[in-house]
Amino acid sequence: MDIGTHALASLALSRAIFPRAPKLLWAFTIPAGVIADGDAFSALISPSAYLTWHRTYTHSLLASLIIACIFGVAYRVWASRELISRLSVATVFTAVLLAQWLHLAMDAVQWQGVQLFWPVNTSRIAADWLPTIDPWIVTILIAAILLPEFFHLIGAEIGAKDKRPRGFVGAIVGLIMAASYVGLRADLHATAVAQMQNRSYAGELPRQVAAFSDFVSLVTWQGVADTESALHLVTMHINNSRRSSLDPGINLFKPEANPLLQAAQATEAAKHFLRVARFPKATVQKMDTGSEVQIRDLRYAAAGEVKREPMVTIDFDPSRKIISAEIVWASREMAR
C-alpha cells in the first residue's frame, strides 16, 4: 500500500482500539504505521539497492518489535521531561505495534511481497489480492474518518450530545468494511487462479500461474502463466456465476539454453535478481558490438508497475566475454 493509505488505516485503528485515548497517541501510531515504507527511498540509490531493501528488513515482525520498543522508550523520555503522563508506555507500545502489524498485513496481501519472518526465513509473502494503490480501500477509510466529523458538526448545531468517543463507531465500521472487501478480493483471486490452472496455453499446461488485481475492477485480473516453452500474459474476466473468460494474451517464448544465457545467469547481478523474481523472462539480443542478455520479471508488467521495474542486463563482447552485468530500471532501458 502507499503511505497515504497506511496513514489513514493507522488513524482508523487508533480510533477503534483506543477510542478514549488523547489525540497525542496519533502522533505515535500514524508515523509507526508508515515508517516501514522508508525503505522505498532505496530506489533513489539504485535498482539493486531497491531489490535488497524494499519490502524486506523493515517489513518484518522483528523490525516491528524493535520499532515499538524505540517509540515506547522515546515517549517515556519525552513524557518524563515534560511531566506529562496522559498515556502509559504500555499503551504507546501496543498502539505502535498494532499499527505496524496492520501495515505488514496490508502489504502481505499485495503482489510485491514482504519478508515477514526475516531473518529466520527470507522468503517473501505475497497474496496478490490487492493492487499497489486500492481506490476502494482509500474511499472506505476516508469515509470512516470524515463522516463522523461531519455528523458531529451537525449534532453540535442542533445541540445533540453523544456520549460515545467521536469517530469510534465510524472507525470500527470502516475497518470491518475494509476487511470484508479484502476477503471478497481474496475469494475472487482464488477463482481466477483456479481457472487459470485448469486451462492450457498454446497447447501446454501451466507449471505455475499468478493473478494480479486490476486497479478498479474486482472481476478483472491480469495473469501470468508459466509453461514449458513460454510465459503467457493474459487477462481474466470473472462473471456473476464465477465463470471466467480468458482474453488472448501475449506469448513470450523462452530462449533455448545456451552458453551465453548460462554465463549471464551465473553473474552476481542475475543471481541477486533471480532470488526475488517470480516469473523471470530472459531475452538474448545479437548486436554489432557483441550480445546482450536481459532478464525481466513479468509480474511487474502484469501488476501494472512501470515506474519501478528492475531488470538485469548483461553485455558480452564478440568473444562472449562479459563486459558488464548490472541491475537497471526497465523504464529507462526501454527508453534508450
Side-chain angles (χ1 to χ4, degrees):
M1 288 293 174
D2 62 296
I3 290 179
T5 305
H6 285 305
L8 291 170
S10 299
L11 178 55
L13 182 70
S14 297
R15 284 185 157 187
I17 305 298
F18 305 96
R20 299 189 182 278
K23 293 181 179 179
L24 174 63
L25 186 63
W26 300 356
F28 293 91
T29 53
I30 294 177
V34 303
I35 194 171
D37 281 345
D39 58 16
F41 287 102
S42 59
L44 301 177
I45 301 174
S46 69
S48 179
Y50 183 75
L51 276 181
T52 300
W53 287 93
H54 190 237
R55 301 284 182 94
T56 55
Y57 314 123
T58 61
H59 284 74
S60 65
L61 292 174
L62 176 61
S64 69
L65 288 170
I66 294 173
I67 293 171
C69 290
I70 293 173
F71 272 69
V73 171
Y75 171 72
R76 180 167 185 173
V77 171
W78 177 80
S80 62
R81 289 182 179 179
E82 300 294 329
L83 300 178
I84 296 176
S85 58
R86 287 180 289 175
L87 290 170
S88 67
V89 175
T91 298
V92 172
F93 175 85
T94 303
V96 167
L97 191 61
L98 290 176
Q100 290 183 96
W101 284 355
L102 179 59
H103 181 126
L104 297 180
M106 294 173 71
D107 283 355
V109 298
Q110 293 184 294
W111 62 275
Q112 291 173 309
V114 295
Q115 289 187 353
L116 195 61
F117 301 107
W118 177 88
V120 177
N121 188 338
T122 58
S123 60
R124 297 190 181 219
I125 298 174
D128 301 334
W129 299 344
L130 301 179
T132 303
I133 301 176
D134 194 303
W136 299 108
I137 289 184
V138 172
T139 301
I140 291 171
L141 293 175
I142 290 177
I145 293 170
L146 293 185
L147 286 181
E149 300 296 330
F150 174 73
F151 292 133
H152 172 74
L153 290 175
I154 295 177
E157 287 291 331
I158 63 176
K161 294 183 178 180
D162 190 353
K163 296 182 180 180
R164 293 171 299 184
R166 191 167 73 199
F168 169 68
V169 175
I172 290 290
V173 172
L175 291 175
I176 291 175
M177 289 181 63
S180 300
Y181 167 79
V182 173
L184 175 60
R185 279 279 197 183
D187 186 40
L188 291 169
H189 174 264
T191 299
V193 169
Q195 297 190 22
M196 285 187 66
Q197 289 173 332
N198 294 328
R199 294 177 180 269
S200 62
Y201 302 85
E204 296 181 330
L205 293 177
R207 301 186 301 183
Q208 179 187 3
V209 301
F212 303 93
S213 57
D214 185 79
F215 178 69
V216 176
S217 174
L218 274 68
V219 297
T220 300
W221 297 80
Q222 307 301 324
V224 183
D226 180 10
T227 64
E228 182 68 27
S229 63
L231 287 159
H232 309 266
L233 290 171
V234 299
T235 301
M236 297 279 295
H237 301 283
I238 304 174
N239 60 27
N240 293 334
S241 60
R242 291 302 175 93
R243 294 184 177 180
S244 65
S245 60
L246 182 67
D247 288 349
I250 302 173
N251 301 330
L252 302 172
F253 291 96
K254 301 175 183 178
E256 296 182 0
N258 59 76
L260 201 68
L261 184 57
Q262 293 174 350
Q265 293 173 337
T267 62
E268 290 301 319
K271 289 179 180 179
H272 183 193
F273 181 83
L274 293 173
R275 280 194 292 267
V276 180
R278 289 169 60 185
F279 293 94
K281 172 63 176 69
T283 57
V284 181
Q285 298 179 353
K286 299 291 185 179
M287 299 181 295
D288 295 337
T289 57
S291 303
E292 182 178 75
V293 175
Q294 295 182 349
I295 307 176
R296 300 179 65 181
D297 186 355
L298 291 188
R299 66 184 172 131
Y300 285 90
E305 181 63 64
V306 295
K307 292 183 178 180
R308 289 182 177 176
E309 179 193 345
M311 63 179 289
V312 184
T313 61
I314 303 96
D315 293 319
F316 296 83
D317 64 15
S319 64
R320 295 190 174 183
K321 180 180 179 181
I322 296 177
I323 302 174
S324 65
E326 59 181 341
I327 299 174
V328 299
W329 295 117
S331 56
R332 299 176 185 176
E333 187 69 16
M334 297 298 107
R336 290 172 54 185

